[in-house]
Amino acid sequence: MSFSLTLGVLLLLSAAGYWVGRSRAANLVARGSGRLHSLPSYHGFYVALWAGIPAFVLLLAWGVAGDRIVEALVLAGLPDAQTATLTNSERALLLAQIRNEAAGIGFGTPEPFVAAAAERLVELRSFSAWIVSAALIAGALAALAWALRRLAPDLRTRNGVERTLRLAMALCSALAILTTLGIVLSLIFEALRFFARYSPLDFLFGLQWSPQTAIREDQVGSSGAFGALPVVWGTLFISLIAMLVAVPVGLMSAVYLAEYATPRVRSWVKPVLEILAGIPTVVYGFFAILTIAPLVREAGVTLGLSVAANSALAAGLVMGLMLIPFVSSLSDDVINAVPQSLRDGAAGLGATRSETVRQVVLPAALPGIVGAVLLALSRAIGETMIVVMAAGLAANLTVNPFEAVTTVTVQIVSNLTGDTEFDSAKTLSAFALGLLLFCVTLCLNVIALGIVKRYREIYD
Amino acid sequence: MTDSLQITGAGTSLHTTPAAQRRLRRRYAAERRFKALGLFAVLFGLAMLAFLLTTIVSQGYRAFIQTHVSLEVYLDPEVIDPRGTADPRDLARADYQSLAENALYGLFPAVEASAERRALRGMLSQGAGLELRRRIQNDPELVGTTLELQLLVSGSVDQLNKGVFDLESGRRLPVSDEQIGWFRELEAQDRISAPFNWGLFTRADSREPELAGLAGALQGSLYLMIVTFVLSFPLGIGAAIYLEEFAPKNRLTDLIEVNINNLAAVPSIVFGLLGLAVFIQVFGLPRSAPLVGGMVLALMTLPTIIIATRASLKAVPPSIREAALGIGASRIQTIFHHVLPLAMPGILTGAIIGLAQALGETAPLLMVGMNAFVTSVGDSMTSPATALPTQVYMWADSPQRGFVERTSAAIMVLLGFLIVMNALAVFLRRRFERRW
């Protein structure tokens, strides 16, 4: 029986439990056996929760662990002569072979013991699925019956249901912590496996990045070097170009909209500019390769420079475009938070508007603007699709914006897509890069949010 | 007061000396420059937006029409059903492409050399044979008749018809001069037409641009949105209610709060790594499946929904809560019967905006392998699929010229959905928002 079918049956049982529980509670009153402590619907929920939740949790657990258990059983059932000498990875390989054979996508004629194991796997799978589904449904029915029997006028079902609901909501908010924990642990765990093969010092300070590892022993020129410095430089370089576009344009348009524009203009221009922030990044990537990269190349050629097809400049320019509304709306907020009295004071001293902005408003808003810029920088560093589409693949330690550089995110994508075995240093290096990326952006975010928050407190 | 009047008196005011006037002119000039700079920045942003959108639309509109050639095809029983059994399996196997090719050869009797014939039949798409097969399978009675049909031409002829190629440039084109000549002749015979391209929405992906459509990607995105909504909406509301209404003020809840704010700013690709390492490696869920992609997107959308929900819960005035509590409702009843319904418009607005972000997200989907090349519309939540943004990414990578317009069209469809969702959010906010 399939997972979703069992889930459906459990849901139906739960719904039935609600209905039966509620009518039973209503009957209790009708028969005159006293006043109910809780409303009939709470009795319904009480039965429904008992019928649904324990079985649902067990079903989830089986969905996660079930296949493992079955496969372990099959492996344990293999003749000792075949498995005694196997290392862990050979064991995994054997298991994969059995799995493929069971799915009917096996390769060639399998050894008899593999074929037998595959048959056993298929058998065990369907058998265990039936057993588990039947057991869960029977268990849910039993729990439903038990809860029904317990229903009584003075049973405090409301308190029970509400406590469960509160617990469920607390678990929901714990999910936020679990997500962060999941990110950190999975990155650290995989990165440690990478560092077991490649020294962290070489990773952080090495100047050579060529993640192609040899598939055959005798292959030439692809020993795999994982010095991340050129990749990190590429990321910073492209982000720098992007910030050079986004910060002046974003800041100036924020100043214009906050200080000069009439309310009518402002109410039109601001949302239109924010469309730029709502456009998916893959669209910017396509725009970069379709339009901006050829423009940059033509400009370079007319200047007599040689320009790479995927120059850092094109990727950086488009990324800057994407960040304009980000910088401008954050700066707009902090500029508007500067008290009007400061502006009035400056105007009273005879300062022009631009003098007020440059000498009073901007210095007062500076911490907030720095925070906005840091947030934008963290966006730029973590941005993926624009650089995957418009920046290069080869690591290159250069300051020439017309050459191609690669970034951390590009390397993560290129090392993890395509058919590579999961255990190679190449794929694991992506997780090390991911860890680096996570740490850097986390630091930037924490600092930026801290600055913005502290600044807000001063004027509020 | 009188002192200063005496000093600056009689027309030689400090502010009217030539030096002062020069200074003032300079300051006013600086003022005008600064204002112009600000205006320039705003106009630059707007111009870039207009540039981007016009680029996409000017490329993409072409993919909404598709060139067809009208041919009289003789549905030869010798080819379709040589044994005369009318067995559906025989009908499915026949070489329909050759029927369409023969019809084309019939129009150009002078073309006999095999290399020329190859060029001639190269003008037809493989879709021509597929269309013939579909007709025959729908109505086997047609075998033996001659039908006038609108058949697909190949991607490069389609581009030729749409005027994409610069014929004067002298560069090598994907169509030969002969093919251009034949095409002009077909055009002169009024056989070329370009109706609306329904195939863009009914076909799945293909290596041939004229056959590639968005059906698979649309379905994949729909599945993703369903999973994302079903997971993130209740979980996000639950978390927000707990944090806003029940959580004690302690270090743990502070930590959760900081966490949520930070999660909202974690690069999306890191969520992809999480999905790959946890959902696929540890939980053993299938790669490329909308279920896994949706779970990753749900985790990314959660912070948005939590933050929006908390803001709308906060906006419900305490008098509502006090009134409910005052007539004996429990805290849970107060929240679920009174506060939450009042906060719902705001929550829905936040959820829709979060979903719109998730719809355009690409990088985490690449990590969990949702850039599968699937030539049929997927059938379940766990079978390999692609989504709109990953389809854009894959088509942008394809070398044929015809994919440029397809990519732009896919982007137009994606942007269309985003506009609809955001408009819905704005509508909800305008229509139902209450100021207390």
Side-chain angles (χ1 to χ4, degrees), chain B residues 124-145:
Chain B
L124 276 179
S125 161
Q126 291 297 318
L130 297 177
E131 168 70 13
L132 284 178
R133 186 173 71 185
R134 193 182 63 82
R135 294 260 176 158
I136 296 288
Q137 285 179 331
N138 279 350
D139 185 6
E141 297 291 301
L142 289 174
V143 176
T145 60

Side-chain angles (χ1 to χ4, degrees), chain B residues 44-379:
Chain B
F44 177 79
L46 295 180
M48 278 301 162
L49 176 66
F51 184 34
L52 192 153
L53 292 181
T54 46
T55 312
I56 300 293
V57 173
S58 68
Q59 295 281 345
Y61 80 92
R62 291 200 195 103
F64 289 98
I65 54 172
Q66 190 71 43
T67 312
H68 287 69
V69 61
S70 137
L71 293 174
E72 289 90 25
V73 183
Y74 173 50
L75 300 169
D76 191 351
E78 284 300 305
V79 175
I80 299 172
D81 195 10
R83 290 186 294 162
T85 52
D87 183 352
R89 272 176 303 176
D90 279 358
L91 293 185
R93 262 204 309 262
D95 181 8
Y96 291 98
Q97 191 70 17
S98 70
L99 293 177
E101 285 163 5
N102 285 334
L104 192 60
Y105 296 153
L107 292 177
F108 297 98
V111 178
E112 280 182 339
S114 70
E116 280 190 313
R117 282 204 153 183
R118 197 179 311 131
L120 184 56
R121 69 170 176 262
M123 293 174 69
L124 276 179
S125 161
Q126 291 297 318
L130 297 177
E131 168 70 13
L132 284 178
R133 186 173 71 185
R134 193 182 63 82
R135 294 260 176 158
I136 296 288
Q137 285 179 331
N138 279 350
D139 185 6
E141 297 291 301
L142 289 174
V143 176
T145 60
T146 301
L147 276 183
E148 174 156 1
L149 290 172
Q150 310 281 327
L151 296 175
L152 273 176
V153 298
S154 75
S156 36
V157 176
D158 175 54
Q159 297 293 295
L160 176 70
N161 181 40
K162 289 170 180 167
V164 175
F165 299 131
D166 181 6
L167 298 179
E168 310 301 319
S169 72
R171 266 191 230 140
R172 246 186 79 93
L173 297 176
V175 283
S176 67
D177 290 347
E178 285 167 325
Q179 284 178 323
I180 296 177
W182 293 324
F183 176 75
R184 296 281 172 246
E185 225 167 288
L186 287 171
E187 225 174 8
Q189 294 177 18
D190 212 15
R191 288 180 181 276
I192 300 294
S193 61
F196 186 78
N197 183 10
W198 290 109
L200 186 64
F201 301 101
T202 56
R203 291 203 183 90
D205 201 5
S206 166
R207 295 275 181 232
E208 306 299 328
E210 75 275 9
L211 289 176
L214 288 171
L218 285 172
Q219 199 202 27
S221 274
L222 177 69
Y223 279 172
L224 279 180
M225 287 300 103
I226 291 174
V227 175
T228 306
F229 181 78
V230 165
L231 289 178
S232 65
F233 192 66
L235 290 179
I237 292 183
I241 291 178
Y242 181 77
L243 290 176
E244 195 59 38
E245 309 278 347
F246 293 108
K249 239 0 208 162
N250 60 24
R251 294 183 58 176
L252 184 69
T253 49
D254 273 354
L255 186 69
I256 293 180
E257 218 157 299
V258 173
N259 229 306
I260 289 171
N261 285 333
N262 272 320
L263 272 184
V266 167
S268 60
I269 192 167
V270 173
F271 282 97
L273 289 176
L274 169 77
L276 180 62
V278 175
F279 296 147
I280 292 180
Q281 289 284 308
V282 179
F283 289 177
L285 292 171
R287 251 178 104 89
S288 307
L291 179 68
V292 180
M295 284 161 77
V296 173
L297 292 182
L299 288 184
M300 290 185 56
T301 315
L302 260 184
T304 315
I305 294 186
I306 293 179
I307 292 169
T309 305
R310 292 189 66 177
S312 358
L313 287 177
K314 236 180 240 157
V316 176
S319 56
I320 303 277
R321 289 186 183 80
E322 282 153 14
L325 290 173
I327 55 169
S330 71
R331 280 175 78 186
I332 295 254
Q333 282 171 331
T334 305
I335 288 159
F336 280 88
H337 297 175
H338 301 283
V339 179
L340 200 58
L342 289 172
M344 222 16 143
I347 298 175
L348 278 177
T349 308
I352 292 172
I353 289 174
L355 281 184
Q357 278 170 7
L359 181 64
E361 204 54 72
T362 322
L365 297 184
L366 289 184
M367 291 291 93
V368 296
M370 275 203 66
N371 50 346
F373 177 70
V374 194
T375 54
S376 59
V377 177
D379 45 26

Side-chain angles (χ1 to χ4, degrees), chain B residues 25-43:
Chain B
R25 267 202 304 278
R26 242 197 348 259
R27 285 175 59 206
Y28 282 163
E31 167 74 21
R32 277 193 300 274
R33 274 202 306 276
F34 191 76
K35 190 175 171 183
L37 215 58
L39 190 60
F40 172 77
V42 171
L43 292 180

Side-chain angles (χ1 to χ4, degrees), chain A residues 272-454:
Chain A
V272 172
L273 263 188
E274 271 163 18
I275 293 178
L276 277 174
I279 293 177
T281 53
V282 67
V283 177
Y284 282 106
F286 182 64
F287 181 60
I289 49 178
L290 186 71
T291 313
I292 300 297
L295 277 181
V296 167
R297 193 158 58 236
E298 265 171 46
V301 168
T302 44
L303 290 174
L305 297 165
S306 75
V307 182
N310 31 27
S311 58
L313 187 60
L317 285 179
V318 174
M319 198 190 275
L321 210 59
M322 179 196 81
L323 292 174
I324 289 175
F326 197 70
V327 175
S328 102
S329 65
L330 282 174
S331 317
D332 195 48
D333 288 349
V334 286
I335 288 174
N336 276 327
V338 174
Q340 186 61 26
S341 59
L342 291 185
R343 290 187 188 84
D344 294 347
L349 289 172
T352 63
R353 277 213 165 159
S354 64
E355 283 160 356
T356 311
V357 169
R358 271 182 299 190
Q359 290 166 20
V360 178
V361 177
L362 286 186
L366 193 62
I369 290 172
V370 170
V373 170
L374 286 183
L375 279 180
L377 182 64
S378 129
R379 267 280 177 98
I381 289 174
E383 170 47 43
T384 308
M385 290 321 292
I386 295 176
V387 283
V388 165
M389 294 169 85
L393 267 178
N396 201 348
L397 209 53
T398 175
V399 288
N400 180 356
F402 293 109
E403 279 187 48
V405 294
T406 191
T407 73
V408 172
T409 47
V410 171
Q411 290 305 317
I412 293 177
V413 170
S414 77
N415 287 358
L416 280 181
T417 48
D419 298 318
T420 40
E421 46 173 334
F422 200 78
D423 260 357
S424 71
K426 184 181 165 190
T427 48
L428 290 178
S429 73
F431 284 94
L433 287 176
L435 185 63
L436 190 67
L437 182 69
F438 180 74
C439 293
V440 170
T441 51
L442 186 71
C443 288
L444 280 174
N445 291 335
V446 168
I447 295 172
L449 287 177
I451 292 176
V452 171
K453 197 173 168 194
R454 187 180 320 156

